[in-house]
Amino acid sequence: MGKLVAAGVLAAALTAAPAIGAVPQSAADASPVGIHNRSASALLSRMTLQQRVGQLFMVGGAATGVSSATRSALTTYHVGNVILTGRSTAGVTATRKVSDGLQRLSTHQTDAAANLLVSTDQEGGYVQVLQGPGFSRMPTALTQGTWSDSTLYRSARAWAWQLRSAGVNVNLAPVMDVVSSSFAPYNQPIGYYQREFGHTPSVVASKGGWFLLGMRSRGVGTTAKHFPTLGRVRYNTDTHSGVVDRTTYSSSTWLNPFKTAIADHSKFVMVSTAYYEHIDPNHPAAFSHTIVTDLLRDKLGFTGVIVSDDLGNAKQVQAWSPATRAIEFLDAGGDLVLTGNTTTLPSMVNAVVAKAESNSAFRARVNQSALRVLQAKQSLGLLRWYAPLTVNGRMDAATASALQVYLLSTRTGSWDSNTRECLQRVIGTGVDGVWGPNSQAALQSFLGISHDGSSSLNARTVAALQRYLNGQR
């Protein structure tokens, strides 16, 4: 796909809408008022070991609200990343409130921490966690794969805009698994749910690549999954143990879509927990140095973040203790431990901290992975910081800049039409860049203050916005 992009299609698509979620590089962006762009390496140097370890975990949190267990993961164990789980039909604005609440709970208020990666499974069809007002209903990947390249790109771009508006910065998609048409009905994890873009490596590589590029164009991190493939197994690793792929080799064409995703700069690759008889028959892929490091990192040249498939609830990994699962994955060369089960988190984190404290080689492994996660965050615009705002009720340059950081929109330091459009999308009102009574009422509802009938920004509302932004730093 990296060589398949048609310049004309991209040029037309890039002019489609204001760039919420983009990380622009304009001259105005270079030095907005009060904004500091942290570097990943500098931030890592200021982190404690516990904070570094926290960056290596992505914990489950209900898409409909923040549970006490997720709250504890963020505040007690310094976990730096969340996956929104379950199903929500509450819409963009309600989801943004959940995402913002998670960001407030994270340790990013301290000088040595970073904003959360907030992720979800937004593939389409049977696997679309976030729905409701403001979210398009996405068809299955198999249907998406029948669309023209330009249609798929534009659609993925729109879906990414919706995610960013909801405070979600990583999509655990696209699925790059290849399932033959004859085997699809028997392939429980992928084909049964039509999660594949097509039935040949070339189609999956091309269509999955356009989905990836559309997401990336809006500043949403993409996750190519499930390496090296789940398209050749019968059973689902989430619900079965002993799942084995008996046909895939390290040279199989089933790996080609992942090569495309890597060439197209997917920031994340997810590794499955199935066994691969012809690559490493002795370890599940997520625990295999041969698959994670020798194949994905070294042979395929992936330099981004390697994330595990679920290591919390998946039936495939229940034979290992939670602590062992985390250690095995990191020892294999993985970077980001995903667990949908918050009860597994304390033992996982404690085991990683303990080993890092006693083993210098493993400590170096932790530092290496923490840096990769922080570099991914930096590329997504998540290491930006602003000084606390003075609550003065004025939409001054500092407040406008802080609002633009929060919105991940172009930073100009002024209350311009693009900023108004981005904010309108977040608060769930008409998106036209004109601030009138409807926008004002929606913002007051979003901030949790009473409606006062004002038709434009007033000091009371701006003061509430300033307090809100101070809580999001």
Side-chain angles (χ1 to χ4, degrees):
M1 184 64 193
K3 295 183 174 63
L4 297 176
V5 177
V9 172
L10 277 177
L14 287 169
T15 61
I20 187 169
V23 184
Q25 300 297 322
S26 65
D29 245 10
S31 55
V33 177
I35 305 301
H36 305 279
N37 290 301
R38 297 167 167 180
S39 74
S41 56
L43 192 56
L44 181 70
S45 70
R46 296 198 296 271
M47 284 184 164
T48 65
L49 175 62
Q50 287 74 18
Q51 288 173 321
R52 295 180 188 196
V53 169
Q55 292 299 311
L56 309 188
F57 287 87
M58 178 175 280
V59 67
T64 52
V66 182
S67 69
S68 59
T70 304
R71 183 185 301 269
S72 176
L74 299 179
T75 58
T76 303
Y77 295 97
H78 305 286
V79 167
N81 314 284
V82 175
I83 171 175
L84 300 181
T85 60
R87 291 291 185 273
S88 171
T89 57
V92 166
T93 302
T95 304
R96 183 71 189 226
K97 291 183 178 181
V98 174
S99 301
D100 287 352
L102 291 167
Q103 294 288 8
R104 284 196 299 272
L105 286 172
S106 78
T107 55
H108 73 272
Q109 291 100 331
T110 69
D111 188 53
N115 289 53
L116 301 170
L117 294 176
V118 179
S119 71
T120 198
D121 289 301
Q122 201 80 341
E123 301 171 15
Y126 299 96
V127 186
Q128 182 181 345
V129 171
L130 303 177
Q131 301 177 37
F135 288 113
S136 301
R137 192 68 181 94
M138 301 166 63
T140 66
L142 193 59
T143 296
Q144 293 173 39
T146 66
W147 293 352
S148 69
D149 295 342
S150 59
T151 297
L152 181 52
Y153 175 85
R154 288 176 183 273
S155 298
R157 186 171 161 84
W159 299 331
W161 194 13
Q162 295 163 11
L163 288 174
R164 272 297 204 179
S165 298
V168 176
N169 45 56
V170 174
N171 192 0
L172 298 180
V175 169
M176 299 301 260
D177 303 308
V178 182
V179 189
S180 67
S181 57
S182 61
F183 186 57
Y186 309 102
N187 175 239
Q188 289 185 7
I190 310 299
Y192 183 79
Y193 296 103
Q194 300 182 2
R195 298 170 70 192
E196 72 277 23
F197 284 96
H199 299 302
T200 65
S202 60
V203 170
V204 172
S206 176
K207 300 303 182 179
W210 282 109
F211 181 100
L212 185 160
L213 285 172
M215 286 280 158
R216 189 161 65 85
S217 75
R218 287 295 195 187
V220 172
T222 54
T223 310
K225 61 184 186 185
H226 308 77
F227 188 82
T229 183
L230 278 179
R232 314 305 300 165
V233 300
R234 182 174 292 272
Y235 298 109
N236 191 335
T237 54
D238 289 338
T239 56
H240 290 77
S241 61
V243 178
V244 181
D245 177 313
R246 304 187 189 279
T247 65
T248 300
Y249 292 79
S250 60
S251 58
S252 293
T253 58
W254 316 123
L255 275 64
N256 289 351
F258 293 98
K259 296 177 183 178
T260 294
I262 292 169
D264 283 339
H265 308 291
S266 182
K267 297 185 187 305
F268 305 86
V269 171
M270 179 181 288
V271 179
S272 87
T273 54
Y275 287 90
Y276 293 85
E277 185 175 283
H278 298 295
I279 306 176
D280 181 353
N282 299 315
H283 304 90
F287 302 160
S288 168
H289 191 277
T290 300
I291 292 174
V292 175
T293 296
D294 296 345
L295 181 54
L296 178 55
R297 186 72 76 193
D298 295 340
K299 184 175 179 180
L300 270 60
F302 181 61
T303 59
V305 175
I306 299 175
V307 58
S308 72
D309 204 346
D310 180 39
L311 297 183
N313 292 314
K315 185 75 171 179
Q316 178 84 345
V317 297
Q318 294 305 306
W320 292 263
S321 70
T324 301
R325 295 172 212 166
I327 296 293
E328 289 288 318
F329 175 66
L330 295 173
D331 268 337
D335 302 306
L336 189 54
V337 177
L338 188 155
T339 176
N341 184 346
T342 53
T343 66
T344 66
L345 184 77
S347 60
M348 285 180 165
V349 170
N350 290 336
V352 173
V353 171
K355 184 166 181 176
E357 287 175 334
S358 62
N359 184 310
S360 60
F362 187 76
R363 186 163 59 252
R365 180 80 273 290
V366 166
N367 291 337
Q368 183 182 48
S369 287
L371 180 60
R372 286 199 191 102
V373 173
L374 291 174
Q375 287 171 334
K377 291 184 177 185
Q378 183 177 6
S379 71
L380 293 171
L382 300 177
L383 299 191
R384 293 176 290 179
W385 177 86
Y386 53 86
L389 295 171
T390 300
V391 181
N392 56 20
R394 295 196 299 271
M395 181 55 77
D396 50 24
T399 302
S401 293
L403 177 60
Q404 288 158 356
V405 168
Y406 165 75
L407 295 170
L408 288 166
S409 64
T410 305
R411 287 171 282 152
T412 63
S414 64
W415 175 238
D416 52 32
S417 61
N418 183 61
T419 303
R420 293 193 292 271
E421 287 188 28
C422 292
L423 183 56
Q424 286 171 330
R425 188 164 185 84
V426 166
I427 62 178
T429 190
V431 180
D432 58 10
V434 177
W435 202 262
N438 291 338
S439 297
Q440 181 72 352
L443 177 58
Q444 290 174 338
S445 293
F446 184 85
L447 295 172
I449 62 175
S450 60
H451 294 186
D452 56 18
S454 55
S455 60
S456 60
L457 279 180
N458 55 16
R460 169 179 173 267
T461 306
V462 174
L465 178 62
Q466 289 168 330
R467 286 189 288 270
Y468 188 85
L469 292 172
N470 280 339
Q472 291 296 319
R473 289 190 309 113

